[in-house]
Amino acid sequence: MIEILQFALLGLGAGTVYAALGTGVVLTYQAAGVVNISVGALAMYTAYTYAFLHNDGLLVLPVGTFEVSGLPVAAEVVICLAVAAVLGLLAYGLVFRPLRGASGLLKLVAGVGVTLVLQSLVVLRFPSTSASVPAMLPDQPLKLGDLSMPLDRLVLAGIVVAVATALWALSRWTRSGLAMRAVAEDERAATLLGHSPDRLSALAWTGSAVLAGLLGILAAPITSLDPVTNTLFVIPALAVAIVGRLSSFGAAVAAGMILGMIQSVILKLQGDHDWLPQTGLREALPFVVIIAVLALVGGRLPTRGTSEEARLPAVPRELPRPYTVGGVLIVAVALILALSGPYRTALTTSIVAILVCLSIVVLTGMLGQVSLAQMTFAGAAGFVLSGLTTRAHLPFPLAPLCAVAVAVLVGMAVAVPALRIRGVTLGVVTLAFGVAVTEFVFKNPHWTGGLGGSRVPEAELFGVGFGGGGDTSFALFALAVVTICTFAVIALRRTRLGGQMLLVRGNERAASAAGVNVAGVKVAGFGIAAGLAGTAGVLLGYQQQSLSFQDFDVFVSLTYVATVYLAGISRVSGAVIAGVMAPGGLLFYALERWLHLGKYSAIVSAVGLILALVTTPGGVAGELDRQSRSVRARFARRDVPVAPVKEEEEAEHALARRT
């Protein structure tokens, strides 16, 4: 029992990190209506800034590096917190202020963009991602009877509790705090009373960024610095914020500390009991917490009194024209035959990536449900394919069909929470689900080979192999599969199910009143999207002939969401464009080979996502469609104006009503 209590006290360090970041999430949601999933990235970036300023005398900013040495520690901390404050203010002013009237879903996607930008900046701007932060808090052991714990954990916990108490007091007894609460209850009424939602939101973003930055600096000696791990601290932070219903600072702090202590106790139990899973059990706990809270207290996050426009980019009235599809197919075949070596390999990667992008178009663009874990479905199919071919020795095409069927079942299982939740809440659930599956399943060496990966033999039919990598035969095979799936998605728009999906996307209550089985449509939509992603995982396995958990990391899923939204999330053509732009794809390799810009692809996609959200909701494909219609109108010498987004949305609802 003493050892369990000892481990619980040691877990207080991680628990305070969750508590502080969860407090930042609550603060931004109450004042700005944003579930801030970039809070972990803000803490990580500030910690890196402090590490290089303190150790090397370099102040690394997003643009520019300055030599600053000989400063006292307090001055260094103040400078880094000022950087965090500016980053938070810029995130609000450039991204979230233009999206104030947007839906929570679009704000969540914008948060994905900000997270990817900050993570990419750390990789690109800092001399190294391996950095250490000297301890600022006293770390000598503290004796509590038979127990012993480092003093820094207790001091850090006291700081977090003090900050949460101060925020609670400010929200109750100051003018700004009361104004934030008023805005959360009814933004219009608060505006009529003279309160400025913009000023309060900017204040909340700045305060949240400073809080995250301070916590990142103080906790870095305990948690160590890593661009991926530190960014993913937002998952348990979201869990504890949801425990507090995104409104209670005290509940978020208490839940964060308890979560960290339980994770530490699980580590002790894993060492004592061999029958417990040795990987991913602690990382899966936040997902379990989120599901349990949503099941017990309701499926939706608490609403705010804001006027939000819940629409995604409009689905176009016209389906892709046959000659357009045929032209793209001819160009793809010509490129496969003309290119060679790494260029053909990159083209094959783009072809496979189109399937992942199509799955996002179906799920989010057509059905209106957000998923930040599409590569998890692809990984499920890929690793099942490896097991069926290397252990069960199932032949082609039986093995890939069974693997895709497993992905469909996983997608339909994930759809179960979607029957009660949607929008931001569903995005949080799928993000936590992706992290949990990656840590608990994909990294398990007994199931997937762990760091060694899983082997996938070459696909053969009647003794003829399809090859892999950049082989012409495999590229043509992948193109044939993708073409069939693309035509299937186009045909889906014409079916009764496709019309019902558009109706559910527009208004679930109206769809239910019209006799649509909303639950069945959601489950079918998730199953179709997971099947498309699973097919991509199967093709990726055959292409690489080896799979590892890095191929299906949650950040790969986030990058795909960013790329598809930039290209056009409501259009099949957007999926094709996004496939060309995908990481490791043809455009990625060409930029790297010609201009050595491949390392900038992640930040370009993230910035492009933000610009598309703010300026061009329809994405690249939507803009190209508008331009082409304008050109056709001029050539026809008729006064045919380009249909605005509102007209497209009205046409979308008319199509759903006719269906």
Side-chain angles (χ1 to χ4, degrees):
M1 186 64 183
I2 295 296
E3 291 182 354
I4 291 179
L5 292 176
Q6 179 72 61
F7 271 83
L9 290 176
L10 291 176
L12 198 59
T16 53
V17 175
Y18 306 155
L21 296 181
T23 301
V25 172
V26 172
L27 178 61
T28 50
Y29 186 80
Q30 283 296 299
V34 178
V35 178
N36 183 14
I37 68 171
S38 63
V39 65
L42 282 167
M44 176 265 300
Y45 187 92
T46 309
Y48 268 100
T49 303
Y50 175 78
F52 281 92
L53 179 60
H54 182 82
N55 297 334
D56 303 328
L58 296 175
L59 178 59
V60 183
L61 300 177
V63 179
T65 301
F66 304 92
E67 292 188 6
V68 182
S69 58
L71 295 177
V73 173
E76 292 173 344
V77 172
V78 170
I79 291 174
C80 294
L81 294 183
V83 172
V86 172
L87 288 175
L89 196 58
L90 287 175
Y92 172 71
L94 299 179
V95 181
F96 293 97
R97 186 177 184 276
L99 296 175
R100 276 193 60 81
S103 67
L105 172 59
L106 297 192
K107 293 175 184 177
L108 182 69
V109 175
V112 170
V114 173
T115 300
L116 294 177
V117 166
L118 291 172
Q119 189 183 43
S120 301
L121 283 174
V122 167
V123 175
L124 294 173
R125 295 288 300 135
F126 288 92
S128 171
T129 56
S130 299
S132 60
V133 177
M136 296 180 59
L137 302 176
D139 57 355
Q140 62 266 26
L142 176 66
K143 292 291 185 180
L144 300 173
D146 294 334
L147 302 176
S148 175
M149 66 175 296
L151 184 59
D152 55 355
R153 267 77 167 175
L154 190 60
V155 174
L156 188 60
I159 292 174
V160 172
V161 171
V163 170
T165 303
L167 288 174
W168 173 81
L170 288 173
S171 68
R172 291 297 189 276
W173 296 316
T174 66
R175 178 178 175 82
S176 296
L178 293 173
M180 286 184 185
R181 294 176 61 191
V183 168
E185 292 293 333
D186 192 327
E187 183 174 305
R188 291 182 178 178
T191 303
L192 293 175
L193 291 174
H195 301 300
S196 172
D198 282 340
R199 183 183 66 83
L200 295 172
S201 297
L203 181 63
W205 268 95
T206 304
S208 175
V210 170
L211 175 61
L214 177 62
L215 191 281
I217 294 172
L218 295 178
I222 301 174
T223 61
S224 72
L225 284 180
D226 180 76
V228 175
T229 304
N230 291 85
T231 302
L232 288 179
F233 281 150
V234 72
I235 304 300
L238 289 171
V240 302
I242 290 176
V243 171
R245 300 297 290 161
L246 290 178
S247 59
S248 172
F249 297 112
V253 169
M257 293 184 180
I258 292 173
L259 178 61
M261 296 169 75
I262 293 176
Q263 285 183 324
S264 183
V265 171
I266 289 176
L267 180 63
K268 168 68 170 61
L269 296 177
Q270 286 176 318
D272 293 342
H273 305 285
D274 294 337
W275 53 269
L276 283 175
Q278 299 299 304
T279 57
L281 192 59
R282 292 179 299 145
E283 291 78 5
L285 187 59
F287 172 69
V288 175
V289 171
I290 292 173
I291 294 296
V293 171
L294 293 178
L296 291 174
V297 300
R300 294 181 61 87
L301 298 179
T303 58
R304 301 175 73 257
T306 57
S307 177
E308 294 183 344
E309 175 59 46
R311 302 218 185 272
L312 289 163
V315 177
R317 292 175 295 174
E318 298 180 357
L319 294 174
R321 299 174 183 272
Y323 62 80
T324 303
V325 178
V328 172
L329 189 59
I330 291 173
V331 170
V333 173
L335 287 175
I336 290 174
L337 298 178
L339 298 177
S340 61
Y343 281 100
R344 188 189 293 145
T345 302
L347 176 60
T348 306
T349 301
S350 287
I351 292 173
V352 175
I354 290 173
L355 282 176
V356 182
C357 301
L358 275 176
S359 72
I360 298 173
V361 169
V362 169
L363 189 59
T364 304
M366 292 181 60
L367 188 57
Q369 307 298 307
V370 64
S371 171
L372 302 180
Q374 289 304 101
M375 288 305 291
T376 303
F377 303 134
F383 286 120
V384 169
L385 173 69
S386 174
L388 292 177
T389 52
T390 58
R391 300 176 185 177
H393 304 289
L394 286 182
F396 181 89
L398 185 59
L401 290 177
C402 292
V404 172
V406 170
V408 172
L409 293 176
V410 174
M412 295 173 70
V414 174
V416 173
L419 302 182
R420 297 187 60 194
I421 60 179
R422 62 175 301 178
V424 177
T425 318
L426 183 58
V428 171
V429 169
T430 56
L431 180 62
F433 170 76
V435 173
V437 172
T438 299
E439 299 291 336
F440 188 70
V441 180
F442 293 169
K443 289 186 178 181
N444 192 311
H446 301 292
W447 298 340
T448 64
L451 294 174
S454 299
R455 187 175 66 88
V456 179
E458 178 185 358
E460 293 184 356
L461 187 62
F462 303 118
V464 178
F466 291 106
D471 294 341
T472 303
S473 57
F474 180 78
L476 292 173
F477 168 67
L479 179 62
V481 174
V482 172
T483 302
I484 294 172
C485 293
T486 302
F487 276 112
V489 172
I490 294 173
L492 178 63
R493 282 280 309 278
R494 301 179 182 273
T495 63
R496 179 180 179 85
L497 176 61
Q500 291 176 337
M501 290 171 67
L502 292 177
L503 191 56
V504 169
R505 165 191 147 128
N507 191 312
E508 289 188 15
R509 292 182 179 178
S512 180
V516 175
N517 183 358
V518 175
V521 171
K522 283 187 176 183
V523 172
F526 267 89
I528 293 170
L532 291 169
T535 306
V538 165
L539 291 178
L540 185 64
Y542 282 132
Q543 179 193 7
Q544 299 181 170
Q545 298 185 354
S546 178
L547 294 173
S548 66
F549 63 86
Q550 292 95 336
D551 298 321
F552 310 105
D553 187 78
V554 67
F555 285 105
V556 181
S557 296
L558 296 180
T559 302
Y560 269 110
V561 171
T563 306
V564 176
Y565 211 105
L566 170 61
I569 200 167
S570 60
R571 301 168 185 266
V572 173
S573 56
V576 176
I577 296 172
V580 176
M581 299 166 57
L586 186 59
L587 181 62
F588 176 94
Y589 182 77
L591 291 175
E592 173 63 23
R593 186 68 180 269
W594 298 342
L595 303 175
H596 304 289
L597 296 178
K599 63 181 180 179
Y600 298 102
S601 64
I603 193 170
V604 169
S605 297
V607 173
L609 165 67
I610 293 171
L611 291 176
L613 286 169
V614 175
T615 62
T616 312
V620 174
E623 190 62 30
L624 291 176
D625 181 62
R626 290 187 182 88
Q627 295 297 330
S628 66
R629 285 190 282 120
S630 178
V631 170
R632 290 199 303 270
R634 286 198 298 269
F635 272 104
R637 296 183 178 179
R638 293 181 296 156
D639 186 17
V640 181
V642 178
V645 173
K646 184 176 180 181
E647 183 178 329
E648 290 184 352
E649 292 173 349
E650 292 173 353
E652 172 187 328
H653 286 283
L655 174 62
R657 286 195 297 270
R658 288 198 299 271
T659 304

